[in-house]
Amino acid sequence: MKKAFARVLFFMVAALLLSAPQAVQAKEFSGDLEIFSWWAGDEGPALQALIDIYKKQNPKVNVINATVTGGSGVNAKAVLKTRMLGGEPPDSFQVHAGQELIGTWVKADRMEDLTPLFKEQGWMDVFPEGLIKLIGTEDGIWSVPVNIHRSNVMWYTPANLKKWGVEAPKTWDEFFAIAPKLKAAGVTPLALAQNWTANHLWESVALASLGPDKWDALWNGELSFDSPEVVKAWELFGKVLQYTNADASSLSWQQATDMVIDGRAAFNIMGDWAAGYMATTKKLVPGEGFGFMASPGTNGEFMFLADSFGLPKGAPNRDNAIAWLKVLGSKEGSDAFNPLKGSISARTDSDLSKYNGYLQATAADFGKDRVVGSLAHGVAANETFMGGFASVMEMFLKTKNAPAAAKACAQLAKKAGI
Ligand code: GAL
């Protein structure tokens, strides 16, 4: 009797053990998944590629693709803040690796630690150590990176430059030498859009003026924001602004890119989502339909940023969100998303044959250039600094007062804890 019972028990346990992995694999999620980002319109196709993979794996989940338009998250971040503080977080939201994540949401204790997920998925070995540091603290890892974007890129149309008899400038002095000629021909030398793109331009100009060591020194508190070097960077920026379009503040970044494509402007400095826009939306071939180079004075330097998604505490559909994060961190997800987005994979094992010429060249640069963090896109400073910097920029665009801007930034840095 005892023996028979033991045998039955043995078979029951064995059956349970054998069926367990299948049961886990077959777990089907249902309900909603709300993903919050600013990737609307032209920035949508890459995100959609990730959603398509997710839907294939989780057909019963209703994906709510909640986007708030406005490049660099100008509007989305404000909406997110209201929701997070109001206790209504989305299931997962877009956030930049670096201080935007750590100095804002992690500091406020609003995020879940994803270390177990990183270990389970083997991500500790496929994401670069430096990047994991930027999304981590002593207490955990706080988001899943989906890409590496480059901020310091100058875009142009090769055929147009040929027509105007100019070459893409490698330094700001070279730019100032050709800009009057372009202006005289009725061409805007440098296309600019709404105010956040001025922040974007500023970081490229400041990097050229300060060099990478002093750029880094600004953010670790070793170089003060009102030092003569930084005043000089603001002065150079003021000079560059003289060659931009007067209607900048009413244009989206895509419209500034269009000016270059249409031949109304010669150059534009924008992150490489512009390459995504020109290749994916405008169907232009890199190197032919559009040209690119490091922004003047920054050759050999790679100002980077990374988009990532996190899991806020209190996410209404936590399991669905974790399944979403798994897609984001996967090789399949990454190599479907990035070629459309105009970014390179954050993973070190991506399949470069899926990427166009621009992205292959960028991946090579990322491997050999001096890498520094972007201010305009969340790496270098937290939201307190960024919010104040936008006001400093507004003031500067009106007054062009370099010492005043430098002084205001120094006060801001104190407030933001830099
Ligand atoms: C950046 C973001 C990019 C792109 C860009 C323009 O902040 O990291 O992925 O969306 O804004 O909207």
Side-chain angles (χ1 to χ4, degrees):
M1 185 65 198
K2 255 189 187 167
K3 252 190 189 169
F5 178 71
R7 201 174 298 148
V8 170
L9 198 70
F10 170 79
F11 281 118
M12 275 172 66
V13 171
L16 252 175
L17 283 176
L18 282 174
S19 66
Q22 277 106 320
V24 170
Q25 255 175 25
K27 184 166 179 193
E28 257 203 303
F29 296 117
S30 58
D32 292 338
L33 168 73
E34 191 196 5
I35 307 159
F36 186 90
S37 79
W38 59 86
W39 289 332
D42 296 314
E43 297 206 85
L47 177 62
Q48 191 55 47
L50 289 169
I51 295 175
D52 289 348
I53 296 175
Y54 183 85
K55 281 297 281 181
K56 225 183 263 165
Q57 293 176 3
N58 305 282
K60 292 211 173 130
V61 175
N62 172 39
V63 177
I64 303 163
N65 184 6
T67 53
V68 178
T69 348
S72 89
V74 271
N75 307 318
K77 286 183 198 170
V79 175
L80 178 70
K81 195 170 168 190
T82 310
R83 289 190 54 173
M84 292 285 279
L85 299 183
E88 283 181 16
D91 293 313
S92 183
F93 64 86
Q94 178 185 1
V95 62
H96 288 122
Q99 280 304 306
E100 186 180 309
L101 168 71
I102 303 297
T104 313
W105 299 118
V106 176
K107 196 171 159 208
D109 196 21
R110 300 281 173 162
M111 306 304 289
E112 275 204 41
D113 176 15
L114 302 173
T115 309
L117 185 65
F118 269 67
K119 290 198 171 142
E120 175 203 286
Q121 298 292 307
W123 291 342
M124 302 305 284
D125 302 322
V126 291
F127 290 121
E129 211 185 313
L131 183 57
I132 292 186
K133 272 196 189 138
L134 275 176
I135 52 172
T137 60
E138 272 181 5
D139 299 322
I141 302 177
W142 306 102
S143 70
V144 179
V146 287
N147 64 6
I148 303 285
H149 265 307
R150 187 175 192 170
S151 152
N152 61 322
V153 192
M154 181 174 242
W155 310 96
Y156 54 91
T157 302
N160 288 343
L161 296 198
K162 210 167 166 202
K163 192 170 75 194
W164 300 321
V166 298
E167 275 181 20
K170 290 186 197 65
T171 63
W172 283 112
D173 280 345
E174 283 184 25
F175 174 78
F176 295 133
I178 59 171
K181 184 176 167 185
L182 289 164
K183 235 179 162 177
V187 175
T188 298
L190 189 68
L192 191 66
Q194 62 188 123
N195 286 13
W196 74 263
T197 73
N199 299 347
H200 187 102
L201 175 61
W202 185 85
E203 68 183 15
S204 268
V205 173
L207 178 63
S209 182
L210 293 168
D213 288 341
K214 286 190 176 157
W215 175 261
D216 281 347
L218 260 187
W219 308 111
N220 61 30
E222 282 167 13
L223 178 68
S224 116
F225 281 83
D226 52 4
S227 63
E229 293 100 312
V230 186
V231 174
K232 225 174 118 198
W234 278 103
E235 280 165 1
L236 175 62
F237 178 63
K239 200 170 164 199
V240 171
L241 285 179
Q242 289 172 12
Y243 296 101
T244 58
N245 41 308
D247 63 350
S249 66
S250 66
L251 303 185
S252 67
W253 67 264
Q254 290 95 332
Q255 287 173 313
T257 308
D258 289 343
M259 288 176 71
V260 175
I261 299 173
D262 301 347
R264 285 174 287 139
F267 306 103
N268 175 227
I269 289 179
M270 187 39 59
D272 48 13
W273 41 93
Y277 174 63
M278 288 187 278
T280 306
T281 308
K282 296 285 172 176
K283 310 279 176 238
L284 296 173
V285 176
E288 294 169 27
F290 67 92
F292 51 88
M293 61 184 274
S295 57
T298 68
N299 190 31
E301 289 150 25
F302 193 115
M303 187 171 264
F304 101 103
L305 59 119
D307 291 299
S308 73
F309 281 77
L311 177 63
K313 284 187 174 167
N317 303 286
R318 188 174 177 277
D319 285 349
N320 294 350
I322 291 174
W324 164 246
L325 296 176
K326 284 183 188 170
V327 172
L328 299 187
S330 69
K331 187 169 168 179
E332 184 197 0
S334 192
D335 286 343
F337 170 82
N338 285 299
L340 296 170
K341 183 69 174 67
S343 40
I344 55 174
S345 176
R347 292 179 59 116
T348 47
D349 61 352
S350 71
D351 178 359
L352 278 179
S353 70
K354 295 194 168 135
Y355 292 71
N356 66 26
Y358 167 75
L359 291 167
Q360 288 177 359
T362 302
D365 284 350
F366 189 64
K368 61 176 165 42
D369 282 2
R370 165 78 183 265
V371 176
V372 295
S374 157
L375 165 68
H377 307 279
V379 182
N382 60 21
E383 285 292 279
T384 305
F385 188 89
M386 278 313 296
F389 190 81
S391 309
V392 174
M393 183 55 74
E394 246 169 65
M395 179 188 83
F396 185 80
L397 291 175
K398 281 191 205 117
T399 63
K400 309 286 182 324
N401 186 334
K407 202 169 159 206
C409 281
Q411 281 161 359
L412 202 54
K414 244 189 229 156
K415 192 172 148 202
I418 296 172

